[in-house]
Amino acid sequence: MAFLGTEHPLRDTLDKEIRARPYIALDVPERISHIAMMTGEGGAEEEVSHLKKLCSHFDVPHPALGTNHFISDMGPFRLRWERHTEFSTYTFFRNEGCEEPFLHPVIEFVPKDWLKTMPGEVMNAVHLELESADTAERTSIELSRYFEGHTYVACEVSGGSALLWTDMRVHQDRFMRVLMRNIDMTSTQAGRTVQRVLEIETYRILALLGFPLAREASPRIKYVDESLAKIAKKMSDKNEVQTDGQLLDELSLLAAEIETISATNSYRFGATKAYYAIVQQRLQELREGRLQGLPTLSETIERRMAPAMKTCDHTSSRQHNLSQRVSRVASLLRARVEVELEKQNQEVLKTMNKRAELQLRLQETVEGLSVVAISYYLIGLLGYGTKGVKALGIPVNPDLVTGLAIPVVAFALWLALKKAKKALLKQEG
């Protein structure tokens, strides 16, 4: 009986994740073929559908829809399928020895039509032969023949419980080859060790996907870096005739270029770093021991991968730092443009103030003329009026009245205009 409150909807999913992808116990000898397919983040349904065809061919139960892990005994072989973020792995097991390693790999028992139509693109393919301890020891000549004359690496794994040989090359059948000899591993330990070796081979290839992008991006980053330096130099050169607007346009193009580079590479560089960390972790879990005269797997991988990984890290840092530099220079240039605009605005305001002063003076002049003109008309009317009064026989001197009325009328008009102007200013205020 449950006495808990409301549970998080992802509790069961997260609980199952810790038990997902269990190791397969291996009874030595074992022949194994492993394929890693790059399918992207949206290829799960197509892969499950393709797996169902194989299950139908061997009349075994189908995988459930939405699953990301499937193990089944097909009869001639056992299959383990795992779905990861952007790739999937197919591992085929057959519990039997072979008269000679890699002569008849287990992949021969898988229908060829089904293999040709597998979703995605092959990123890695490995044949692994796990021999029993009572198998006759291989001479250096035999080992060289198994790896087609290539130089190979060798080491003890699992604290000396097994031996491993591989040349880390793609052979004519497009598979890599790994030969392991069991010394005293249990079936469970053998399954864990084989799984780690296969993951190392898969993840080291996936980690290197970022290296071509780093080499491709390097000249583009260099171009942006040099162009940014030129723009910064132009900004500091007072004799430079190029306007800030033109510099800002050039800087915007550089910002768009570096953002395009980052958008193309950032995800892959992040994945490269994560995959390389998994490779290093799996190598530590192998607990390697040196065989006299031969390089170990870990030192060979580290020697070959470390420069590429550092190149990816350096390129990622360069494009990140360059993006920040472009932003800083753009901010400085925008600030300078804003200061220049402020100066221009101040000049405009000064010009407007001068125009306002001129308009005020002109207005005062017009007001004076208006007083004179209106006074002239009013005095004229008054003159006509006094003449009319004189014509009625009233003793009035029109010229005297007109002369005395001039200053009175002019002052009254000026006072009236001043009060009207004051009232309008007060209303606007």
Side-chain angles (χ1 to χ4, degrees):
M1 181 178 295
F3 297 96
L4 300 176
T6 304
E7 293 189 356
H8 194 282
L10 295 177
R11 181 185 177 188
D12 289 337
T13 302
L14 299 177
D15 179 65
K16 292 176 182 178
E17 186 63 27
I18 198 66
R19 299 186 300 277
R21 303 179 177 92
Y23 297 111
I24 295 181
L26 300 178
D27 295 325
V28 184
E30 196 84 29
R31 296 155 60 194
I32 303 161
S33 292
H34 175 82
I35 303 174
M37 303 292 296
M38 181 66 76
T39 55
E41 298 184 11
E45 292 185 6
E46 186 180 3
E47 292 179 62
V48 172
S49 176
H50 193 64
L51 279 174
K52 289 180 179 179
K53 296 179 182 179
L54 185 64
C55 293
S56 298
H57 180 83
F58 290 102
D59 195 20
V60 298
H62 295 178
L65 186 63
T67 186
N68 57 9
H69 180 258
F70 177 67
I71 297 176
S72 179
D73 189 346
M74 301 288 179
F77 58 87
R78 288 164 294 155
L79 169 66
R80 172 188 176 128
W81 170 76
E82 292 182 81
R83 170 69 187 173
H84 299 266
T85 303
E86 60 176 349
F87 71 97
S88 294
T89 58
Y90 301 79
T91 310
F92 307 91
F93 303 87
R94 184 175 175 85
N95 181 218
E96 70 172 8
C98 186
E99 60 271 22
E100 182 172 321
F102 315 114
L103 183 60
H104 295 292
V106 64
I107 201 73
E108 292 181 354
F109 295 91
V110 183
K112 291 182 175 57
D113 292 341
W114 186 85
L115 287 173
K116 289 180 180 180
T117 57
M118 290 174 67
E121 299 175 327
V122 178
M123 285 304 303
N124 190 35
V126 181
H127 290 320
L128 191 150
E129 297 279 349
L130 180 58
E131 298 181 330
S132 60
D134 56 4
T135 304
E137 292 189 6
R138 308 293 184 181
T139 65
S140 59
I141 296 177
E142 289 178 317
L143 291 171
S144 180
R145 186 175 74 251
Y146 301 152
F147 297 113
E148 298 181 348
H150 300 142
T151 57
Y152 53 87
V153 301
C155 59
E156 295 179 349
V157 295
S158 298
S161 298
L163 302 178
L164 179 147
W165 296 268
T166 180
D167 61 350
M168 302 175 66
R169 291 176 179 267
V170 178
H171 289 257
Q172 293 181 359
D173 60 356
R174 308 306 296 163
F175 278 78
M176 300 175 63
R177 294 181 179 181
V178 178
L179 177 62
M180 290 182 63
R181 178 190 294 273
N182 179 38
I183 303 299
D184 56 5
M185 291 189 299
T186 64
S187 59
T188 303
Q189 187 180 10
R192 290 199 303 267
T193 303
V194 166
Q195 184 67 20
R196 287 166 182 162
V197 172
L198 294 176
E199 287 178 351
I200 289 170
E201 291 297 328
T202 297
Y203 284 114
R204 75 176 182 88
I205 296 296
L206 292 169
L208 289 170
L209 280 175
F211 184 55
L213 292 179
R215 289 194 298 187
E216 180 182 348
S218 183
R220 298 174 64 188
I221 293 175
K222 182 180 179 182
Y223 166 76
V224 175
D225 193 4
E226 293 175 348
S227 300
L228 182 62
K230 291 179 181 178
I231 291 177
K233 184 178 179 181
K234 291 177 181 178
M235 288 175 59
S236 61
D237 189 358
K238 295 182 179 180
N239 297 323
E240 180 63 40
V241 297
Q242 197 166 10
T243 65
D244 289 342
Q246 292 175 324
L247 293 178
L248 195 57
D249 290 340
E250 293 179 9
L251 198 58
S252 298
L253 293 176
L254 292 183
E257 176 69 11
I258 194 63
E259 288 302 319
T260 300
I261 297 172
S262 298
T264 303
N265 299 336
S266 294
Y267 173 82
R268 181 49 55 196
F269 287 160
T272 290
K273 188 175 182 179
Y275 290 144
Y276 185 48
I278 294 175
V279 171
Q280 292 177 313
Q281 181 184 9
R282 296 296 186 267
L283 286 171
Q284 291 178 357
E285 293 172 353
L286 277 183
R287 295 182 293 132
E288 292 175 286
R290 182 178 295 277
L291 292 180
Q292 186 176 4
L294 293 172
T296 64
L297 182 63
S298 59
E299 70 182 15
T300 302
I301 289 179
E302 187 68 18
R303 178 173 58 85
R304 295 181 181 179
M305 289 190 66
M309 297 301 99
K310 289 180 180 179
T311 299
C312 292
D313 288 341
H314 178 62
T315 304
S316 179
S317 298
R318 283 180 66 196
Q319 66 185 28
H320 176 71
N321 294 336
L322 189 56
S323 178
Q324 291 183 328
R325 286 175 54 202
V326 170
S327 298
R328 288 197 299 269
V329 174
S331 298
L332 290 173
L333 187 55
R334 290 192 187 97
R336 198 167 82 168
V337 170
E338 290 176 359
V339 170
E340 188 65 28
L341 288 176
E342 288 293 332
K343 291 180 179 179
Q344 293 178 4
N345 291 337
Q346 290 177 2
E347 294 296 328
V348 172
L349 289 175
K350 288 180 180 179
T351 304
M352 291 177 65
N353 288 335
K354 291 181 179 179
R355 290 180 179 177
E357 290 177 0
L358 292 175
Q359 289 178 354
L360 180 60
R361 293 176 182 176
L362 181 62
Q363 183 179 356
E364 291 175 349
T365 302
V366 172
E367 289 176 358
L369 294 175
S370 299
V371 170
V372 173
I374 297 173
S375 298
Y376 173 79
Y377 286 113
L378 290 177
I379 294 301
L381 292 174
L382 181 61
Y384 288 124
T386 54
K387 288 179 181 179
V389 171
K390 183 180 179 180
L392 292 174
I394 300 174
V396 177
N397 187 348
D399 295 332
L400 180 61
V401 173
T402 302
L404 293 174
I406 290 174
V408 176
V409 172
F411 179 75
L413 285 174
W414 176 81
L415 188 63
L417 287 174
K418 186 175 181 181
K419 288 183 178 181
K421 182 178 179 181
K422 186 177 181 180
L424 289 174
L425 293 175
K426 184 178 181 180
Q427 184 178 358
E428 290 180 358

